[in-house]
Amino acid sequence: MSTNQKILTLVMVRKANAILLGLKKRGFGEGKWNGFGGKVENDETVAEGAIRELEEESGLVAKCLKKVGILEFEFVGNPIVLEVHVFDVLQYEGEPVETEEMQPQWFPEDSVPYEKMWPDDILWYPLYLKGIKFKGYFLYQGHDTILKYTLTQVDHLP
Ligand SMILES: Nc1ncnc2c1[nH]c(=O)n2[C@H]1C[C@H](O)[C@@H](COP(=O)(O)OP(=O)(O)OP(=O)(O)O)O1
């Protein structure tokens, strides 16, 4: 991994045509609805990081995860590249609870609040919701403007 790269996770939870999102209460992405996740620590695998972040941010304990996408984000003027590994939770235990970082809420899959989410989400969620694996790259100016992007369907993910 290059010193300019940070590995993060984004964990998506669904049930019966609804998706669980959390309103970020602090830090990066504050005020936006998003899946759950964060930076992977040095002493854990990406999947272990995903499980830890989901529990820390929502109280849910993931029992089975599947990687569904990898998204890279760059911001003009910032050398750091964020590599976000997106996971679908196939099985979990517990009920979502509000935490210091997130206020969780179920949304019907046809009423995802894209206007209050990262602008890239409306581009790749349709693939995710159809069960299609994907890779994406997004160059941002600030946090609201995508200057360019690529998004491709893939058969396999590392
Ligand atoms: N553009 C975009 N779309 C969708 N999701 C994301 C982005 N950029 C992102 O960073 N994310 C996701 C990836 C992670 O799930 C979070 C960001 O994690 P962050 O809060 O920075 O990491 P933590 O380790 O929880 O941070 P601390 O608060 O503990 O320092 O957003």
Side-chain angles (χ1 to χ4, degrees):
M1 183 177 72
S2 110
T3 50
N4 283 345
Q5 189 185 41
K6 271 191 197 168
I7 308 289
L8 296 99
T9 59
L10 183 61
V11 186
M12 316 298 294
V13 182
R14 289 160 81 187
K15 68 167 185 192
N17 298 323
I19 184 164
L20 185 69
L21 298 173
L23 182 63
K24 190 92 186 280
K25 293 162 64 176
R26 65 175 193 203
F28 191 67
E30 181 177 344
K32 290 180 166 63
W33 291 97
N34 204 351
F36 304 87
K39 297 172 204 72
V40 175
E41 307 284 353
N42 289 332
D43 62 346
E44 65 187 5
T45 65
V46 178
E48 286 169 349
I51 292 167
R52 174 184 54 74
E53 288 278 356
L54 179 69
E55 184 167 12
E56 283 176 12
E57 294 188 353
S58 74
L60 298 180
V61 179
K63 293 295 172 187
C64 184
L65 289 176
K66 180 174 82 170
K67 193 181 288 187
V68 293
I70 299 181
L71 300 170
E72 282 192 329
F73 300 103
E74 277 193 273
F75 296 85
V76 171
N78 187 338
I80 292 175
V81 178
L82 304 181
E83 183 179 291
V84 177
H85 294 242
V86 187
F87 290 87
D88 206 13
V89 174
L90 304 178
Q91 208 185 331
Y92 64 88
E93 287 179 354
E95 288 300 322
V97 292
E98 182 167 351
T99 61
E100 283 184 9
E101 204 158 331
M102 289 286 212
Q103 177 196 319
Q105 185 178 315
W106 291 103
F107 289 89
E109 283 177 8
D110 58 4
S111 303
V112 174
Y114 291 116
E115 69 285 357
K116 294 177 193 153
M117 296 167 70
W118 284 100
D120 56 276
D121 291 351
I122 197 169
L123 299 170
W124 61 264
Y125 266 52
L127 295 180
Y128 163 67
L129 291 171
K130 282 187 216 150
I132 296 169
K133 295 194 180 84
F134 52 89
K135 275 189 179 180
Y137 166 82
F138 299 87
L139 175 65
Y140 270 84
Q141 174 99 58
H143 286 184
D144 296 323
T145 306
I146 297 172
L147 294 180
K148 63 177 181 183
Y149 76 93
T150 59
L151 183 62
T152 50
Q153 303 183 20
V154 296
D155 291 330
H156 303 286
L157 290 164

